[in-house]
Amino acid sequence: SHSMQAPSAHPICVACGVSAVVCMKSPPESLCPLLRRIAGAARAAGLPRSRQYRAQFATAHRAVLGGVTYHESVARWGLEAKESITVNGERHVLAPELKLAAAHFRAVLALLFSVNGCATCPVCGTPGALAAMFECAYVNLELVLVPFLQKVEGAAKQILWDVACAVQKNLAQPEVVKMLTAIRGCGDRNTSHWSDDVWSACKEAARDDLPSGRLAITALSSLEDLLKFISMQASTGFAWIDPCLEECRDLMTRHSAWVNAWHRAAIWVCNKDTRDSFDNVVCSILIRAAHDPKFQEDLEVADSGVLLELPRLVVRNEDALPVIEAIVGSEVAVLVRQAVQGCKSAPGEMCAATEKGAMLLQRSQPKSWNDFAHCVVQLSGTML
């Protein structure tokens, strides 16, 4: 068994005692070749490489590390010099001993990288000196890193267990949705407008073959896909979580798809006035496409010209006020509408008024506008 040693900040040759500080300015994309050379030098030097201490790790972690002497993902983790990691919206700060072990490991690896992994001390030339330093640095890192990740992943998995149990017990959908929003904090999405009515509104809207109905179906199917995936993985104990990854790619792909779909449904499906206005805007775009082959062609490929024309189509639409309010808020929506309606008595000024209203619509809340524009263009393209 190995006892964890307290490493110094810089590597010291075990033969001559000279401290070496080398900066690894550009770590290689793959550390495997270097790690294999170091392992070969360690074998040649007759260094003991027992990994019996891994028996204390969880089964999933032992499976990932396997019989590899120096695991690349552990080495890569040590190179990244993180202060903390965030899982399911919760920030976990690295313990001082882990940061010190990672700093020592980086210094030793940088030294080995600078001498191309030959493991011979560049100061005294002792064979195997650097390999012994690396062995000690790697073991120290793995001994403090894996227990830390086990603790973090325990917290990360708990929310998934809660979701899986909620699905098994057939809890109300709003309760399950609230649990799902805790995963990674839903990215940068503001979920304050996600009312308990989103699910019921989507069920209602999905009955109609309208643009809002398409959004509702996407939201419901993405939720079903996410819950199915979590339930299926729960049956295997979430063994798919790699101890050297902050997130599970398969989970987060489904989670991101659901968050984006639910976000759109919360805005454009829940409120009936906004939903009707949204359907009207999309239908007017489809009518324009039916009479303008070039516009239809651009719409099918989401050409930038469509995105430039869209704000003008919206501000000229008499029934688009609820949509405009949902994008920029009621106060700015009034200004947008006034900019256009104020010139109806002077048709010659209509073009300038439309441009002014379109500019207000795009610049007041650019993120909201971009979300809306991409949603409408994507949806319209699928309904042609």
Side-chain angles (χ1 to χ4, degrees):
S1 63
H2 286 72
S3 60
M4 189 176 66
Q5 303 173 17
S8 63
H10 306 297
I12 299 175
C13 175
V14 295
C16 65
V18 175
S19 175
V21 182
V22 180
C23 177
M24 186 186 290
K25 294 182 180 178
S26 56
E29 288 186 10
S30 175
L31 291 171
C32 284
L34 177 60
L35 294 175
R36 281 196 293 268
R37 286 198 296 273
I38 298 170
R43 283 193 298 272
L47 293 173
R49 298 180 313 283
S50 170
R51 295 293 181 261
Q52 293 179 3
Y53 62 84
R54 288 179 179 169
Q56 64 187 291
F57 297 159
T59 303
H61 299 76
R62 293 200 305 272
V64 171
L65 294 171
V68 178
T69 304
Y70 303 126
H71 200 285
E72 182 179 14
S73 56
V74 174
R76 182 68 62 184
W77 209 100
L79 278 177
E80 292 181 355
K82 297 179 180 180
E83 290 292 323
S84 65
I85 62 175
T86 300
V87 179
N88 293 348
E90 184 180 358
R91 183 170 175 260
H92 300 265
V93 179
L94 272 62
E97 58 269 22
L98 177 52
K99 288 193 279 189
L100 181 58
H104 180 66
F105 176 82
R106 283 194 298 277
V108 173
L109 190 60
L111 184 55
L112 279 161
F113 184 58
S114 69
V115 296
N116 199 28
C118 67
T120 298
C121 177
V123 178
C124 67
T126 303
L130 296 189
M133 294 163 59
F134 183 84
E135 168 70 10
C136 178
Y138 178 88
V139 169
N140 276 317
L141 176 61
E142 196 171 277
L143 277 168
V144 292
L145 172 62
V146 175
F148 168 75
L149 291 175
Q150 286 181 170
K151 178 182 175 183
V152 170
E153 286 155 22
K157 289 179 182 179
Q158 187 58 53
I159 186 73
L160 302 178
W161 282 117
D162 292 343
V163 171
C165 291
V167 173
Q168 191 174 17
K169 293 177 181 177
N170 292 318
L171 289 183
Q173 289 290 345
E175 295 179 38
V176 176
V177 166
K178 285 176 183 176
M179 294 179 188
L180 291 172
T181 59
I183 299 177
R184 281 186 69 209
C186 285
D188 60 351
R189 289 292 192 189
N190 177 13
T191 63
S192 60
H193 61 287
W194 289 18
S195 69
D196 292 347
D197 299 329
V198 178
W199 187 78
S200 56
C202 285
K203 292 291 283 186
E204 178 186 342
R207 301 190 191 107
D208 301 321
D209 188 22
L210 292 170
S212 59
R214 298 286 184 96
L215 289 185
I217 291 171
T218 301
L220 293 172
S221 61
S222 63
L223 175 61
E224 182 181 0
D225 182 50
L226 176 59
L227 294 178
K228 241 183 224 184
F229 179 78
I230 292 176
S231 297
M232 181 180 67
Q233 296 298 334
S235 65
T236 63
F238 299 111
W240 42 262
I241 294 185
D242 189 318
C244 298
L245 296 179
E246 290 184 35
E247 59 189 45
C248 170
R249 191 167 298 171
D250 290 338
L251 169 67
M252 297 324 301
T253 297
R254 289 169 172 80
H255 185 266
S256 296
W258 167 71
V259 167
N260 290 330
W262 209 256
H263 176 75
R264 287 176 173 177
I267 297 174
W268 306 116
V269 177
C270 277
N271 182 282
K272 190 176 185 312
D273 291 340
T274 305
R275 186 198 314 172
D276 292 343
S277 180
F278 178 84
D279 288 336
N280 185 287
V281 168
V282 176
C283 288
S284 68
I285 292 171
L286 294 174
I287 292 172
R288 163 74 182 274
H291 294 85
D292 186 340
K294 178 64 170 64
F295 184 79
Q296 178 175 340
E297 182 182 336
D298 291 344
L299 191 59
E300 287 174 342
V301 297
D303 186 80
S304 58
V306 174
L307 295 174
L308 290 174
E309 181 65 18
L310 184 59
R312 302 184 185 101
L313 294 175
V314 174
V315 298
R316 286 200 298 259
N317 190 319
E318 293 288 341
D319 299 312
L321 184 58
V323 162
I324 296 172
E325 288 181 346
I327 297 171
V328 298
S330 56
E331 293 183 5
V332 178
V334 171
L335 297 177
V336 172
R337 186 56 73 199
Q338 286 175 346
V340 178
Q341 291 180 338
C343 294
K344 282 192 173 179
S345 57
E349 298 180 16
M350 191 61 181
C351 182
T354 299
E355 292 301 319
K356 181 180 177 182
M359 198 67 69
L360 275 171
L361 184 59
Q362 294 175 86
R363 293 187 176 180
S364 297
Q365 295 291 337
K367 188 175 185 307
S368 296
W369 167 257
N370 287 335
D371 282 348
F372 167 79
H374 285 96
C375 172
V376 166
V377 171
Q378 182 183 38
L379 185 60
S380 302
T382 63
M383 296 185 70
L384 289 172

